[in-house]
Amino acid sequence: MLAMNIDQLFAEGRGTFVDVGANIGLVSVPVVERRRVRCFAFEPEPRNFAYLSRNIEAHGLACAHLLGHSLGGVVALRMLAKLPVSLQGRVVCLGSPLTGSRAAEVVNTLDIADLFSSSLKAGVIDASANEWGRAVCDTHDVGVIAG
């Protein structure tokens, strides 16, 4: 059913598909593969964001720009710094705690710290992005919108 709808929506192979809450790309990746339309996939949850990025790469999609809000920006940068991911494209961090975060330090002392990905401790508390993220800036355009 989804394939038929995709074919009807993008019959001419043109258009823009916006997937808000893209999860791991179960909808957005097939849309781009089947029709090669422009796609914006937004996923705010850090673990799903990392899986989405790997899924984009695994399917050989040429260029993907990563947009991460808050901890998602840290996750995007850490993924590119630590994992063998060859995504081409830009990284935009929206309000990401790239130089550390007092709030993250407090959350880390509470019982709820396990609700966050390991990127909270590794990428924000133990070492900030300005310590480990330089390699990403050497290979990708990185933009930051602070707020």
Side-chain angles (χ1 to χ4, degrees), residues 39-41 49 56 63-67 87-92 141:
C39 177
F40 295 95
F49 182 79
I56 290 167
C63 182
H65 302 293
L66 304 178
L67 174 69
L87 288 175
Q88 299 301 311
R90 296 180 176 107
V91 179
V92 178
D141 290 332

Side-chain angles (χ1 to χ4, degrees), residues 64-84:
H65 302 293
L66 304 178
L67 174 69
H69 180 266
S70 190
L71 186 57
V74 174
V75 170
L77 292 175
R78 281 195 64 77
M79 179 191 65
L80 293 172
K82 302 291 183 186
L83 299 176

Side-chain angles (χ1 to χ4, degrees), residues 115-138:
L115 296 175
F116 298 91
S117 72
S118 61
S119 291
L120 178 65
K121 184 163 174 35
V124 179
I125 296 169
D126 292 344
S128 62
N130 57 350
E131 296 174 44
W132 52 260
R134 181 156 314 276
V136 177
C137 295
D138 291 341

